[in-house]
């Protein structure tokens, strides 16, 4: 109902997620992963890796590395260690869920668009279809997404 609303930080963020009692966010100034307690205390940089969108699943952060316009999909542990590139595909958007990461390959030619999935470790990548989603959601056993470029069935 909006009552009890409270600002916990004045930090500007590109994206944020909640996990294990922490607010994880990408700062707008440095594009690095930060975290703070839900009351705004103990704010610190988790990793010096530059990132855009990110998602947390279990004890890992899955993120897009925008370096050089490549937008490759990576993962690291919540403490910022163990960064591993998962794919050479240009991946955006993405959604890790149920042992899989669903993502769009972001190719520039609409005829080459692909909605794909791969295991959380980057293996077993496969094409689901040739749509180009701009938002991907997973609800139970259903994959729900919004398509940017319409191609007739």
């Amino acid at each position: 109902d909006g009552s009890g609303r409270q600002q916990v930080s004045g930090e500007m963020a590109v994206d944020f997620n909640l996990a294990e009692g922490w607010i994880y966010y990408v700062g707008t100034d440095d594009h690095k992963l930060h975290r703070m307690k839900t009351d705004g205390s103990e704010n610190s940089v988790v990793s010096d890796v530059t990132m855009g969108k990110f998602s947390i699943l279990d004890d890992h952060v899955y993120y897009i590395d925008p370096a050089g316009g490549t937008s490759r999909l990576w993962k690291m542990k919540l403490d910022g260690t163990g960064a591993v590139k998962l794919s050479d595909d240009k991946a955006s958007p993405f959604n890790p869920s149920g042992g899989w990461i669903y993502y769009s390959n972001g190719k520039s030619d609409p005829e080459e668009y692909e909605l794909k999935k791969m295991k959380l470790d980057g293996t077993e990548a496969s094409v689901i279809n040739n749509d180009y989603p701009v938002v991907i959601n997973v609800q139970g056993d259903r994959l729900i997404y919004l398509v940017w470029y319409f191609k007739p069935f």
Side-chain angles (χ1 to χ4, degrees):
D1 68 0
S3 64
R5 185 175 152 215
Q6 177 183 355
Q7 180 176 340
V8 296
S9 174
E11 296 291 328
M12 299 291 289
V14 173
D15 196 7
F16 78 97
N17 279 264
L18 300 171
E20 299 181 2
W22 295 90
I23 299 170
Y24 288 81
Y25 69 95
V26 173
T28 57
D29 292 337
D30 60 7
H31 292 275
K32 295 178 182 177
L33 184 65
H34 300 251
R35 76 176 188 173
M36 70 177 109
K37 290 287 192 183
T38 56
D39 64 1
S41 66
E42 299 183 44
N43 193 341
S44 64
V45 174
V46 175
S47 172
D48 285 329
V49 172
T50 300
M51 64 179 69
K53 297 292 284 179
F54 76 100
S55 186
I56 295 175
L57 181 63
D58 300 325
D59 61 347
H60 281 89
V61 177
Y62 297 84
Y63 63 96
I64 298 295
D65 178 357
T70 60
S71 298
R72 304 301 187 234
L73 190 56
W74 288 67
K75 80 173 183 179
M76 71 171 76
K77 293 179 184 174
L78 275 176
D79 66 4
T81 63
V84 176
K85 182 169 67 168
L86 298 175
S87 174
D88 284 323
D89 284 339
K90 184 176 182 180
S92 184
F94 71 97
N95 189 327
S97 179
W100 294 93
I101 303 171
Y102 300 90
Y103 66 99
S104 173
N105 71 352
K107 293 183 179 180
S108 58
D109 182 353
E111 295 303 316
E112 296 180 7
Y113 289 163
E114 295 170 330
L115 173 58
K116 299 178 81 172
K117 72 176 184 176
M118 68 177 147
K119 291 283 194 182
L120 295 175
D121 64 2
T123 62
E124 298 185 38
S126 63
V127 176
I128 296 171
N129 63 35
N130 292 103
D131 286 339
Y132 184 59
V134 293
V135 176
I136 299 173
N137 239 309
V138 180
Q139 296 294 318
D141 63 350
R142 298 187 73 161
L143 182 61
I144 303 164
Y145 56 93
L146 176 65
V147 177
W148 175 260
Y149 178 79
F150 176 76
K151 294 191 286 188
F153 293 100

